[in-house]
Amino acid sequence: MAILERVNSTEDVSALSRDELHGLADELRSEIIRVCALGGGHLASSLGAVELTVALHYLYDTGRDRVVWDVGHQTYGHKIITGRKDRIDTIRQPGGLAGFTTSSESPHDALTVGHASTSLAAAFGMALARDARRDPYSVVAVIGDGSLTGGMALAALNQIGHVKPKMTIILNDNEMSISENVGGLNTFMRTLQVKPWLHKAEEKSKRTLSQIWEPLVGFGSRSKKALRRFLDPASSNPFHAMGVRYVGPVDGHDLEQLLYYLEHIQNLDGPTMLHIVTKKGKGYKIAESDPINWHGPPKFDALNPVVAGKGYTWSSAFGDAAARLTEFDDRVWVITPAMREGSGLVEFSKRHPERYLDVGIAEDVAVTTAAGLALRGEKPVVAVYSTFLQRGFDQVIHDVCIENLDVIFAIDRAGLVGGDGATHQGVYDLAYLRALPNMSVAMPKDALEMRAMLKTALRLGGPKAIRWPRGKVALPPDDPVEGWPELEWGSWEIIKPGVRAYILALGPTLAYALEAAQGLDDVGVVNARFVKPLDEGMLEQLALEAEVLITAEDHVRTGGLGTAVAETLQDKGVSVSLVRLGIPDEHVPHGDPAEQHERYGYGPQAIRRTLTRLGLAPVAERSLLGASD
Ligand SMILES: Cc1ncc(C[n+]2csc(CCOP(=O)(O)OP(=O)(O)O)c2C)c(N)n1
């Protein structure tokens, strides 16, 4: 690490010789592999962006200029260069560096990110602010071909091309989103990649070509234009058409070429897009050949690299259930906004390609496409992470709920998610979905209950959201759908009877509540699996019988289960002491979810402390279990 040792800032990169820049790229690559092996992380995207990272830091002062990375997952090299190499081993770990660019972490991180497709609009705003203040800094946005499929990115491009501020857009095209990239723009980008060949062919044989073509297509100008478009796709380039100067494609691993083009573009007025072609996982053979599994591996052995299996997860359980449901009812479709692997749909996509749709990183499109399908009698299931459904919120109201359509929302990663941190926490969906007329919201306790909910939702119709957490679940038996039991929609279930108190728990907090209430005859536990509609009958009865009700949820306290319970009791005029456990009004950073559950008061030990404080568990335990929450 001879060169990296001397690099502590972006100025140090600018001081390097060209030869040393190549050495720096090699060292960064080794360091990224070492760090990801140690604790897991976004390996393949960071490796693919190494030369770009070096070139940008050579040409720009990222402390002053604004380099906006889309998603921010490809920035391990950027973090190492910009004064964070001593802490890079802590990336994504509790209390350590964030996995994405985060402005509170460094002045070199121009934007706090994690969700895709925001870079262009943010950089556009920064360029407008710069021009309004007549400041001299440069603005650069780096966006992947996957993130460019998001409507936000395309709408921003449309504005940028119209207003034309001076800015550089780097399109980092590796043909991949997390899985293979999709869509017409992606197909078009493939035609751009053959452009150099076409150029050469045109140069070398201009005469031959016109000799061949002109007699064939005639001499009319329309035909000539069509021929020209075929030979030089840039003349029909949609970026160009939107008003953005297009340059490329350029080999994004050729540092000299990158520096050459970036340096020239730097001084051009207006917006310029440099299209670079890169390989995801570049320089690490196994990641190059399998960029999907090496997109974000857990920790691995760098000498014997294998991506550890995740075991049977909630996502696997959903994928299996969806496949069964499609065989049971051929009107069932599954739509994913670019999360085939994460949502457990790899097998489904192979077995039922005609009922499977990946719409790219476009959650809004996923929801409204589902609405369109439902309007024509189909039964779409939108498989989406809780955090990403936020991008489709208006569509859930406007296109699905107002029409009361038969759309099931299969919501994965509900709750705190661990290493991805604040941008990815799935802790708002109960609040934002519960508010919508016609919508139901449920959370199963296990994979069998998930099946029962899916089957019942399919029969009942209407907008139905079923959510589950990240992580493992017990494998259910492989029964055909005909044998799956249904459940009464909106019903709760008493798991442990109590006398003086009841804990109303949801999903993962159910096991916590049972652990906390162990050995306490006075304390009952309820599987409050429906947040909307609540089991009002059972709630009222429990409130009348017990002294205290405690709600426990892996969700913000504002608007979740506890709020729903409080509102219902208030409306019914039933008064009972109510303790609401959940996440307070703050953004939760990356960390270990189990630790965070304890810290926020709804882990098993924390619930037990609450029971002690309420006089429901023996006081002697206080000292054993630490301070009261
Ligand atoms: C709104 C949103 N939806 C989904 C994701 C999950 N996600 C993270 S990276 C990624 C792929 C991005 O592809 P690209 O921009 O081409 O970058 P690459 O990973 O190929 O380097 C996706 C879908 C996200 N971060 N944000």
Side-chain angles (χ1 to χ4, degrees):
M1 298 292 148
I3 301 169
L4 209 43
E5 257 170 35
R6 286 186 279 133
V7 172
N8 290 308
S9 69
T10 184
E11 294 89 54
D12 294 339
V13 179
S14 307
L16 296 176
S17 69
R18 287 286 167 118
D19 271 358
E20 286 174 320
L21 289 182
H22 288 275
L24 177 63
D26 292 343
E27 290 183 19
L28 277 179
R29 217 163 237 129
S30 310
E31 191 57 358
I32 291 167
I33 295 168
R34 187 191 63 76
V35 169
C36 289
L38 201 69
H42 284 115
L43 176 74
S45 303
S46 286
L47 288 177
V50 162
E51 284 76 16
L52 176 63
T53 305
V54 172
L56 287 173
H57 285 287
Y58 183 74
L59 293 172
Y60 293 94
D61 170 1
T62 52
R64 185 202 58 179
D65 298 323
R66 297 292 74 193
V67 174
V68 184
W69 299 87
D70 208 278
V71 185
H73 65 318
Q74 69 289 65
T75 55
Y76 286 33
H78 160 79
K79 292 198 181 209
I80 292 169
I81 285 177
T82 52
R84 284 168 274 184
K85 69 178 178 206
D86 295 343
R87 284 183 297 150
I88 196 69
D89 287 3
T90 69
I91 198 161
R92 293 171 63 87
Q93 306 303 319
L97 296 178
F100 308 100
T101 46
T102 304
S103 56
S104 60
E105 191 178 283
S106 166
H108 296 271
D109 290 6
L111 191 69
T112 297
V113 242
H115 284 203
S117 318
T118 62
S119 63
L120 297 184
F124 175 50
M126 290 175 194
L128 294 180
R130 174 203 56 198
D131 294 345
R133 302 284 144 228
R134 298 182 201 288
D135 282 334
Y137 58 85
S138 300
V139 175
V140 180
V142 181
I143 185 163
D145 55 310
S147 299
L148 197 66
T149 59
M152 245 198 107
L154 295 171
L157 208 56
N158 195 36
Q159 270 308 302
I160 292 167
H162 175 61
V163 179
K164 294 195 189 308
K166 179 175 171 170
M167 61 188 282
T168 298
I169 298 165
I170 296 166
L171 170 56
N172 180 11
D173 177 7
N174 55 23
E175 301 188 28
M176 298 295 290
S177 188
I178 292 179
S179 35
E180 299 81 10
N181 199 10
V182 296
L185 202 52
N186 176 53
T187 311
F188 173 73
M189 283 189 268
R190 297 317 123 227
T191 68
L192 287 178
Q193 285 195 23
V194 298
K195 186 184 157 224
W197 175 83
L198 283 166
H199 262 314
K200 261 187 222 152
E202 192 183 18
E203 278 308 312
K204 277 192 186 153
S205 53
K206 232 176 204 157
R207 244 182 324 175
T208 330
L209 275 167
S210 56
Q211 277 162 4
I212 295 169
W213 276 92
E214 288 193 1
L216 283 177
V217 299
F219 292 94
S221 63
R222 263 179 57 195
S223 310
K224 275 190 188 166
K225 270 188 197 149
L227 174 60
R228 174 78 198 152
R229 264 204 302 277
F230 170 72
L231 292 172
D232 180 5
S235 63
S236 59
N237 181 304
F239 309 121
H240 218 75
M242 276 196 249
V244 175
R245 185 185 296 111
Y246 170 88
V247 178
V250 169
D251 179 351
H253 298 304
D254 183 334
L255 193 51
E256 295 300 331
Q257 263 205 58
L258 272 182
L259 288 167
Y260 172 83
Y261 280 101
L262 283 171
E263 217 161 1
H264 279 77
I265 285 169
Q266 227 174 3
N267 300 317
L268 296 177
D269 275 338
T272 305
M273 174 185 280
L274 177 65
H275 179 182
I276 68 169
V277 177
T278 59
K279 193 154 189 57
K280 217 164 161 168
K282 177 74 179 175
Y284 196 47
K285 284 231 152 38
I286 194 151
E288 279 188 28
S289 61
D290 183 8
I292 296 178
N293 279 313
W294 290 89
H295 172 85
K299 68 178 177 186
F300 58 93
D301 177 355
L303 295 176
N304 182 23
V306 189
V307 178
K310 291 189 180 126
Y312 197 76
T313 61
W314 281 96
S315 317
S316 333
F318 166 67
D320 290 347
R324 286 286 189 188
L325 286 170
T326 303
E327 287 150 17
F328 173 71
D329 183 339
D330 72 357
R331 290 168 304 164
V332 172
W333 293 62
V334 177
I335 306 177
T336 172
M339 298 306 286
R340 182 182 67 191
E341 282 71 23
S343 293
L345 292 170
V346 175
E347 265 309 300
F348 184 93
S349 68
K350 288 182 195 152
R351 269 169 67 183
H352 300 287
E354 72 297 342
R355 296 268 161 257
Y356 167 81
L357 204 58
D358 175 354
V359 295
I361 308 179
E363 291 77 9
D364 44 2
V365 174
V367 176
T368 304
T369 303
L373 283 163
L375 281 164
R376 304 308 302 155
E378 303 295 313
K379 302 212 163 170
V381 179
V382 179
V384 61
Y385 285 18
S386 167
T387 188
F388 300 141
L389 184 56
Q390 291 159 199
R391 280 279 172 88
F393 181 53
D394 177 61
Q395 289 72 11
V396 175
I397 304 172
H398 180 270
D399 302 325
V400 175
C401 285
I402 290 178
E403 291 271 26
N404 198 18
L405 294 177
D406 299 351
V407 177
I408 295 177
F409 294 92
I411 302 177
D412 206 319
R413 306 306 197 268
L416 295 177
V417 293
D420 282 340
T423 54
H424 281 56
Q425 307 293 16
V427 295
Y428 309 104
D429 61 273
L430 293 179
Y432 70 71
L433 293 173
R434 202 172 66 79
L436 309 183
N438 291 334
M439 178 62 88
S440 290
V441 194
M443 188 170 201
K445 66 171 188 282
D446 57 24
L448 283 174
E449 202 164 78
M450 172 207 264
R451 283 179 177 176
M453 284 177 176
L454 285 167
K455 185 177 175 186
T456 313
L458 198 64
R459 179 177 56 77
L460 292 177
K464 304 254 179 305
I466 306 169
R467 69 196 291 269
W468 45 85
R470 177 172 180 266
K472 289 188 188 151
V473 71
L475 176 73
D478 189 22
D479 299 333
V481 178
E482 287 77 1
W484 296 2
E486 292 198 19
L487 80 185
E488 192 189 328
W489 202 254
S491 65
W492 288 356
E493 183 191 26
I494 295 180
I495 305 277
K496 175 181 183 298
V499 184
R500 291 172 55 208
Y502 272 92
I503 307 171
L504 312 178
L506 187 63
T509 60
L510 191 59
Y512 294 167
L514 285 168
E515 193 180 330
Q518 222 171 29
L520 306 178
D521 291 342
D522 275 340
V523 182
V525 175
V526 172
N527 176 16
R529 57 196 175 188
F530 286 94
V531 176
K532 185 185 179 187
L534 288 180
D535 191 332
E536 294 192 6
M538 185 183 290
L539 175 62
E540 192 168 357
Q541 198 184 332
L542 296 176
L544 292 173
E545 283 171 12
E547 293 163 25
V548 60
L549 298 182
I550 301 161
T551 57
E553 58 195 311
D554 189 16
H555 186 274
V556 290
R557 278 159 32 104
T558 310
L561 172 68
T563 311
V565 166
E567 285 170 359
T568 307
L569 292 173
Q570 169 76 23
D571 290 352
K572 287 185 172 294
V574 179
S575 125
V576 65
S577 179
L578 176 66
V579 177
R580 295 185 297 122
L581 304 177
I583 299 166
D585 192 23
E586 63 187 54
H587 289 286
V588 181
H590 53 290
D592 171 23
E595 274 171 22
Q596 292 173 326
H597 298 169
E598 287 295 350
R599 182 169 347 128
Y600 291 118
Y602 56 91
Q605 297 196 15
I607 298 178
R608 183 77 175 201
R609 281 200 300 278
T610 295
L611 295 176
T612 305
R613 183 167 54 79
L614 294 170
L616 293 159
V619 176
E621 287 187 2
R622 254 177 213 261
S623 57
L624 282 178
L625 295 172
S628 147
D629 52 295

